Amino acid sequence: MADAFYRVEFGALLPGAPGIVVLENGQVRGSDGNYIYSGTYSGGEGPIEVLLNVKPIQADAPSVFGTVGQQFKLNLFGNFVPGGFTLAGSSPVQGGLGVSIRGTKVSEVGF
């Protein structure tokens, strides 16, 4: 179930642009138009943990945490659910609201 393309939607301090991520062989790659993501995941059925490096595409890119143009890391925990996954994690901003992410499967990797 894990290895696939997913549409992702974010909930945090600010609404985020929807994006696409690819989970494949323990690697995560994706973008939402303002930021690119690269990292790892563990799990394939049930619980999942994701460690992400998040980098702005442009220097003035706003994030869902209210920052502008900053690179940061996220440690996310959640579960695979029918048709996708849900994740949550702390804000990289001291005292900031956390993030929730919903991923909906859109395609197998080898289509």
Side-chain angles (χ1 to χ4, degrees):
M1 161 87 188
D3 288 1
F5 287 83
Y6 295 87
R7 176 183 167 91
V8 289
E9 299 177 37
F10 306 91
L13 175 64
L14 302 171
I20 295 287
V21 296
V22 179
L23 275 58
E24 185 174 21
N25 298 324
Q27 300 294 307
V28 180
R29 303 282 187 266
S31 177
D32 64 13
N34 286 324
Y35 284 79
I36 54 176
Y37 326 120
S38 179
T40 60
Y41 74 91
S42 58
E45 295 292 331
I48 180 175
E49 179 177 1
V50 177
L51 303 172
L52 277 184
N53 295 302
V54 182
K55 180 179 176 180
I57 295 172
Q58 296 180 354
D60 61 349
S63 80
V64 296
F65 302 106
T67 62
V68 176
Q70 294 180 8
Q71 188 168 336
F72 53 88
K73 295 180 184 231
L74 292 174
N75 191 7
L76 306 164
F77 298 92
N79 288 287
F80 281 101
V81 297
F85 59 81
T86 58
L87 295 169
S90 299
S91 172
V93 177
Q94 184 76 9
L97 293 176
V99 63
S100 63
I101 301 169
R102 169 80 182 170
T104 304
K105 185 176 177 180
V106 295
S107 177
E108 298 295 331
V109 172
F111 60 90

